[in-house]
Amino acid sequence: MITYEDRKLRTLADQGRWVELLGLYRRARAAAVALGGEVRGAAEAAPLGHLIAYGAPPELAARLFDPDGGPGSAAGTGDHDAGPLWEVLATRHSWRRLAPLLGPAPVRRLVAHTRALLGEDLRHGAEPDEEAVPLALEPWEVAGWDERSRVREYLRTGGARRALLALPAGREGLGPVELPAPGRVVPSASTGPGSQVPGLAATRLLGGFSAWAEAVCVCGTAPDAAAQLASGRQVTGGFVPFAQAYPALVQAASDGPAAGSAQGRLALWRVLVAMTGESRVVAREIEGLISRVRCFTWCDPADELRYLHLAVEDPASGLAWGLSGGTYEPAYD
């Protein structure tokens, strides 16, 4: 239901009274924080924040994140309506316009990575990333991924549209596969004093992708990992390039309106780093991993709207990781 207050705020936006709206946002957020804490403050002010982030000139919209309005008045990386307010802002203006205006480092980082997802190359136009994740998409990130589906499409008065990415997207190229016996699950993080099984951190990260996904790490191949997660030994499945799986993985890692696509991409890069056994991004190691991994995807009879079934094996380590889950949420946030 659109309330009188909603209509009033939209009228102010239509009239371009952004300074007034920013003042209203700051007062509303600070008052709600004082009554119920940050979570309540963020939730109550978010619809107004969306209006400002979407429609205001960048010089004013960026001030949503500026603490100069007093305690509790500034949005943070967790403030969201249909999506994070920083992502709304990042979809509206180039990095060149926003860079001089954004103060808080966490917001700057996420906005920069959102602009990279939207096609900007910021490798020489922004401060280096703290985890050395590239500020431009690698060729394998771009392959088969329509620019329009990488980040939510936000609507002026609120709400957003998001492409529904599933894996596998269809049954083309897949066929009946008799899975082997399930591979041996890696039981713990250590193989002896001071030693670490390569890539177990990746399993922990994969398991945190979303509430609807489960993950496993096994010694063996991708089908061995799939057998741990598939409902039966015979499935409809097949091998796909990692680039084909990448978009659905990023979306799964940014599940829900509180997370943006940049956070999904950063999470997936952490998984890739963990799979290489390094502590941070080493470009040649990531490139080597992408070139050698084998990816197996399959269908589940219960699949409806949104699902992801993927097992990835690294022949260099003898480990495979599986991720499987689904949800029946509608296509739009």
Side-chain angles (χ1 to χ4, degrees):
M1 177 183 294
I2 299 176
T3 66
Y4 169 78
E5 187 65 22
D6 292 331
R7 290 195 296 269
K8 175 184 174 183
L9 295 176
R10 293 179 186 179
T11 298
L12 293 176
D14 291 339
Q15 295 171 350
R17 293 163 66 176
W18 299 113
V19 173
E20 187 174 344
L21 283 168
L22 179 63
L24 288 171
Y25 172 85
R26 288 176 163 181
R27 290 192 293 274
R29 193 183 190 286
V33 168
L35 288 173
E38 279 289 325
V39 173
R40 177 173 174 178
E44 292 192 9
L48 177 52
H50 179 104
L51 281 178
I52 296 169
Y54 185 96
E59 293 78 11
L60 190 136
R63 293 180 62 193
L64 283 168
F65 308 98
D66 194 330
D68 66 359
S73 66
T77 58
D79 287 58
H80 69 278
D81 189 28
L85 299 186
W86 52 263
E87 186 173 72
V88 179
L89 179 63
T91 64
R92 303 296 295 160
H93 308 284
S94 69
W95 178 251
R96 183 176 181 180
R97 293 290 305 277
L98 293 172
L101 307 171
L102 292 169
V107 172
R108 287 182 64 85
R109 185 188 189 210
L110 292 170
V111 169
H113 280 283
T114 303
R115 294 308 309 173
L117 280 163
L118 293 171
E120 283 197 59
D121 186 341
L122 303 183
R123 288 173 294 186
H124 305 294
E127 53 268 28
D129 182 72
E130 63 189 47
E131 295 179 82
V133 177
L135 285 165
L137 297 182
E138 297 294 315
W140 52 267
E141 293 182 276
V142 176
W145 197 9
D146 190 318
E147 183 177 313
R148 293 169 297 180
S149 67
R150 296 177 196 162
V151 180
R152 292 180 183 90
E153 176 193 353
Y154 288 99
L155 309 178
R156 184 179 70 88
T157 56
R161 298 187 181 97
R162 194 178 199 188
L164 188 66
L165 302 180
L167 187 71
R171 299 199 173 201
E172 184 178 354
L174 306 182
V177 177
E178 189 74 22
L179 292 176
R184 181 173 63 84
V185 177
V186 178
S188 70
S190 66
T191 55
S195 64
Q196 187 82 11
V197 174
L200 277 176
T203 311
R204 290 192 290 271
L205 288 166
L206 284 168
F209 258 34
S210 68
W212 50 267
E214 58 179 323
V216 67
C217 177
V218 305
C219 293
T221 67
D224 293 329
Q228 292 282 356
L229 298 168
S231 56
R233 292 190 64 190
Q234 184 166 329
V235 299
T236 299
F239 287 90
V240 297
F242 183 78
Q244 186 175 329
Y246 180 75
L249 286 169
V250 172
Q251 189 171 100
S254 56
D255 187 43
S261 295
Q263 289 163 318
R265 180 178 181 243
L266 290 169
L268 188 49
W269 271 81
R270 291 186 196 107
V271 170
L272 296 174
V273 169
M275 287 179 174
T276 67
E278 301 289 341
S279 59
R280 61 185 284 111
V281 173
V282 179
R284 66 179 182 277
E285 295 293 338
I286 296 291
E287 291 169 6
L289 176 71
I290 297 301
S291 67
R292 70 177 180 264
V293 294
R294 301 180 74 226
C295 302
F296 180 84
T297 187
W298 69 95
C299 296
D300 188 289
D303 292 336
E304 289 190 14
L305 288 176
R306 189 176 177 199
Y307 47 86
L308 190 155
H309 308 296
L310 179 70
V312 181
E313 68 179 73
D314 180 4
S317 67
L319 292 178
W321 299 266
L323 180 69
S324 181
T327 182
Y328 309 116
E329 295 177 89
Y332 301 115
D333 291 329

